[in-house]
Amino acid sequence: MDKLSSLLTSLEPGSDRLAALEAVKPALSTLSRQELVDGLRDVSLLPVFDCLNGGEPSLIQAACSVLQHLLGFTDPALVLERYGGLMVHGLVHQDENVVLLILKQMSRCILDDELALLVIQRDMVRPVLDKLEGELVVATEVINWAVLLAETPGGVSALSTPEVVTQLQGIASKSTILQMRVLDLMVRVATLGQEHLQSVQTSGFLEQLIKILHKEDFLLKLNCVELLTTLALAPHGQKYMESAGVLTIMTTLLEDCPNHPFADILLPGLVKFWGNLAHTRPQYIMTKFPVFLNALVNMVQSDDFTAQSIAFETIGYIGVSLEGKTALVDMGNKMVECIEKLEMLIRDSPTEVKIRAMNALASLIKLDKVNQSAEMLSLTQAWYMRVPTTMNMVTNIVKQPFLDLRLAAYQLLCVMADQPWGRALIMKQPGFSEFLMDRSGEKDKRGREEKFRVVQTIMESREAKEILGPEMDLQMKQFVKEGPHFVQVQSQVAYEEA
């Protein structure tokens, strides 16, 4: 640490400060982490902070690098105590790297509830929030910081004071971009809990968000739908939207969407919103809001691969739960016709769409063991049989040289292998059990592991011996015992000619 002290002492205006800064990290390379932590308690980094005031970009960059390194070994309490004032001053620095450095340290400080209260008491909240007007990378860090602060005991109150609310409203009034940044922050805070939502609601920001839905600005409306989708992920957020009439407005938007000039862009966002609601409350949403069901069916029946894949992703997301499966069954023939469309997507569509289609089918037929009643097993098998060529298509896909496709196929096979009817289909496919146990056919690590998981899932039951015979059953048990990355070592004996 003496070497560090000497280097920091030499950081005076007029000296070669850049060379001194560049020598700091090499000088500390022999010290352990604990030695650095202990040593930095007695070392002042003020000379390094002072280098940030120079106009030379190389000097500022070097100072940022050194501070990032050394502050990472300094207790956040010491950082706040010694350098809190400097950090607030540095928030107005012209170099965004300096601002990002300070925001990172401020984030470390508020991870501790007591330090977070100190940050609030020292009026450091508003200077940070001012940086919402900065570049996107800076504004993103500010939003993350404020959400962290809101999770601390006094955080939501600090973000709800009249001064802060006025400050945020002032920022939001300057442009639509800044307005969406402020609303993004407020929505993320609101999702944290009922108290947080009430605080944000009282500040008037949620009302602003809802009003945007009535505006003609298409991009603004699209961003608004995305933020409401985030709010819908929280149960208390859903209750608020229902009581505030948001679901009625979103129903109207979905009904009118086909007539909108940008329907192709707006519709996926609306479907995602309703899909999140239907995932948590499938029976209620599917029954009370039939317009959502009609939109899904229309997207499935369209000739647009993107629309079809979004619709199936949503159907799979709804149908992954038991309640969701029951709600989809109540769709009757509409659901059957939708599933039949999956066959075409898995067979004749671009790679990304094939992956999404297989993932959707896997979600629909997924059934945890505790839920494998005769009725539910019959349902998943019936849905699977609506895509009769699935097994042939999947066995072909796992032999193709595209990892993402193979992984999606293996995932579908794993879901099948976890159910009696699916295991039987896999094991009765000629030569496929041998293929699954051939490690040499799968060069990628993830691929080998997923391929292995299919066999492992099959062998968790006792049906292999009955279907494949005792010899194959023993081979599969040995395969599972050896693991996915086993390599057979062949001994070679050299013979020396006499």
Side-chain angles (χ1 to χ4, degrees), residues 143-157:
I143 292 172
N144 292 337
W145 178 85
V147 174
L148 273 178
L149 181 67
E151 294 184 69
T152 66
V156 68
S157 298

Side-chain angles (χ1 to χ4, degrees), residues 426-442:
I426 292 171
M427 287 188 283
K428 289 178 180 178
Q429 187 75 8
F432 196 56
S433 296
E434 290 84 351
F435 167 80
L436 290 173
M437 291 192 294
D438 181 10
R439 294 184 183 88
S440 65
E442 183 59 72

Side-chain angles (χ1 to χ4, degrees), residues 282-432:
Q283 202 73 50
Y284 174 75
I285 295 297
M286 301 292 279
T287 304
K288 189 171 176 63
F289 302 97
V291 62
F292 171 53
L293 171 58
N294 293 335
L296 284 179
V297 172
N298 290 336
M299 290 173 77
V300 167
Q301 300 298 338
S302 74
D303 296 325
D304 184 342
F305 281 140
T306 302
Q308 288 176 324
S309 57
I310 290 171
F312 278 118
E313 273 187 337
T314 306
I315 291 170
Y317 190 48
I318 297 168
V320 75
S321 66
L322 282 184
E323 189 185 352
K325 286 177 171 59
T326 303
L328 292 175
V329 167
D330 291 343
M331 288 170 56
N333 290 333
K334 288 182 179 179
M335 180 60 188
V336 173
E337 291 168 6
C338 285
I339 293 178
E340 288 173 348
K341 274 278 187 178
L342 274 172
E343 183 173 19
M344 182 273 293
L345 286 186
I346 296 174
R347 185 183 64 243
D348 300 317
S349 66
T351 298
E352 180 58 32
V353 178
K354 284 182 181 178
I355 291 170
R356 294 163 84 172
M358 284 189 285
N359 289 342
L361 181 57
S363 294
L364 282 172
I365 66 172
K366 180 179 173 61
L367 206 57
D368 295 332
K369 281 187 167 56
V370 293
N371 297 321
Q372 291 185 9
S373 64
E375 180 185 2
M376 295 308 297
L377 285 169
S378 176
L379 172 64
T380 55
Q381 183 177 12
W383 280 352
Y384 173 87
M385 295 309 293
R386 286 290 173 179
V387 192
T389 61
T390 297
M391 197 65 217
N392 289 333
M393 289 190 292
V394 169
T395 54
N396 178 51
I397 288 171
V398 293
K399 297 172 186 176
Q400 293 182 16
F402 309 109
L403 177 62
D404 289 347
L405 265 178
R406 297 200 307 275
L407 291 176
Y410 289 138
Q411 180 184 336
L412 177 55
L413 287 167
C414 274
V415 170
M416 293 172 61
D418 203 32
Q419 301 174 58
W421 61 264
R423 284 191 291 276
L425 283 172
I426 292 171
M427 287 188 283
K428 289 178 180 178
Q429 187 75 8
F432 196 56

